[in-house]
Amino acid sequence: MPGGRLTQQERQQIAAGLADGLAYAEIARRLDRPTSTITREVMRNGGPVAYRPEIAHRATEHRAHRRRQPAPREPRTAPAPHGRDTEAVRAYEEAFTTVFMQQGLPKMASRVLTCLYTTDTGSVTASELVQRLQVSPATVSKTVALLETMGLVRRERDERRRERYVVDNDVWYQGMIASARSHAQLAETARQGVGVLGPGTPAAVRLENIARFVDFVGESMARAAEQARDILWAKPGPAPQDTAEPGPDR
């Protein structure tokens, strides 16, 4: 089984396999690579939907170059909580960051949000962000200020009077409601065009159909958001335990 970093040709084969709907294990078998190698490669570079071989290859070369730099990085000595696989978590964080970036957020803002959402406490201090993301305090301050203006992060003080940055789960509900309102506005504007262009004309019929569709989707989103809002605040259940009943005595 070959070792070392993936080649650009292998990455193109991975992309082709993903496009064909192949499982990671099948792609790994065809490349004679461990399945874990393929899984980390895809998750580290955007996930199965956004994976691009050329971008993945350049990103790997960039990471390799960065590791060769003489500036020391603070070692990660603390064990991962809950028995998590550190490499798998890191790959997932990169994939999650990529998704935020595809939604239009700047890279650093995406990294900060990923850090907050993958932290068990759901909050971090500025110094924790500096250490975890290996960036300057000024970068953290500027990024958090941006996220605050977008309503994605808020500040609070802990019992030691330290300022902590927090993500509110309710932001997802508010985002869905805002999207539903924008759908309603689009539907209203489309219907205004019906009167302008003349009811029954092809253009007016097209606009009326758009309005009906957008109305239905927006109302469904708002209704679903209201019904599912409590899910965002559900508490984690107890840790799974072995509940199998003992067998009968023999």
Side-chain angles (χ1 to χ4, degrees):
M1 182 174 290
R5 290 199 296 268
L6 292 164
T7 66
Q8 191 163 8
Q9 182 179 5
E10 285 178 316
R11 289 190 166 93
Q12 290 171 348
Q13 290 177 266
I14 291 173
L18 292 173
D20 290 339
L22 299 181
Y24 294 152
E26 176 60 20
I27 297 174
R29 187 188 66 78
R30 295 187 180 191
L31 294 178
D32 197 21
R33 291 276 193 172
T35 302
S36 59
T37 297
I38 306 303
T39 302
R40 283 195 300 269
E41 165 69 14
V42 175
M43 294 300 294
R44 184 180 286 127
N45 294 286
V49 176
Y51 182 80
R52 299 293 182 270
E54 298 82 5
I55 296 175
H57 195 70
R58 288 198 298 269
T60 300
E61 289 182 337
H62 175 71
R63 285 192 293 266
H65 174 74
R66 192 169 56 187
R67 283 195 292 267
R68 289 196 294 268
Q69 297 302 308
R73 293 173 63 90
E74 186 165 337
R76 303 187 180 208
T77 55
H82 304 294
R84 293 166 180 153
D85 182 332
T86 303
E87 283 299 318
V89 170
R90 189 175 298 126
Y92 172 73
E93 289 173 346
E94 292 186 17
F96 204 3
T97 298
T98 300
V99 170
F100 280 131
M101 292 172 63
Q102 290 170 341
Q103 300 298 317
L105 281 178
K107 181 176 181 180
M108 186 52 60
S110 300
R111 293 185 68 198
V112 170
L113 275 185
T114 294
C115 182
L116 282 163
Y117 277 114
T118 56
T119 301
D120 287 317
T121 59
S123 70
V124 292
T125 63
S127 61
E128 288 170 343
L129 280 176
V130 167
Q131 180 179 8
R132 182 165 172 178
L133 301 180
Q134 295 292 302
V135 295
S136 68
T139 297
V140 167
S141 178
K142 180 179 178 181
T143 303
V144 170
L146 170 65
L147 291 170
E148 277 188 301
T149 63
M150 301 174 70
L152 298 176
V153 168
R154 64 179 174 84
R155 302 171 191 246
E156 65 178 25
R157 296 280 181 178
D158 62 17
E159 64 280 359
R160 295 170 58 184
R161 304 301 300 164
R162 296 178 305 178
E163 189 173 74
R164 301 189 71 87
Y165 308 133
V166 184
V167 285
D168 278 326
N169 293 345
D170 208 46
V171 71
W172 296 97
Y173 166 80
Q174 297 297 341
M176 291 287 287
I177 294 300
S179 181
R181 288 176 184 148
S182 69
H183 277 67
Q185 184 178 12
L186 175 58
E188 180 182 352
T189 304
R191 286 201 171 92
Q192 290 173 0
V194 173
V196 173
L197 298 172
T201 64
V205 170
R206 183 183 306 114
L207 288 175
E208 177 61 30
N209 290 342
I210 291 172
R212 291 172 57 200
F213 173 80
V214 173
D215 261 344
F216 179 83
V217 172
E219 290 170 4
S220 299
M221 288 174 59
R223 185 165 54 252
E226 290 290 351
Q227 292 173 346
R229 188 177 188 179
D230 289 345
I231 294 175
L232 293 169
W233 301 101
K235 299 296 183 183
Q241 297 179 351
D242 185 5
T243 58
E245 296 182 359
D249 294 335
R250 296 182 180 274

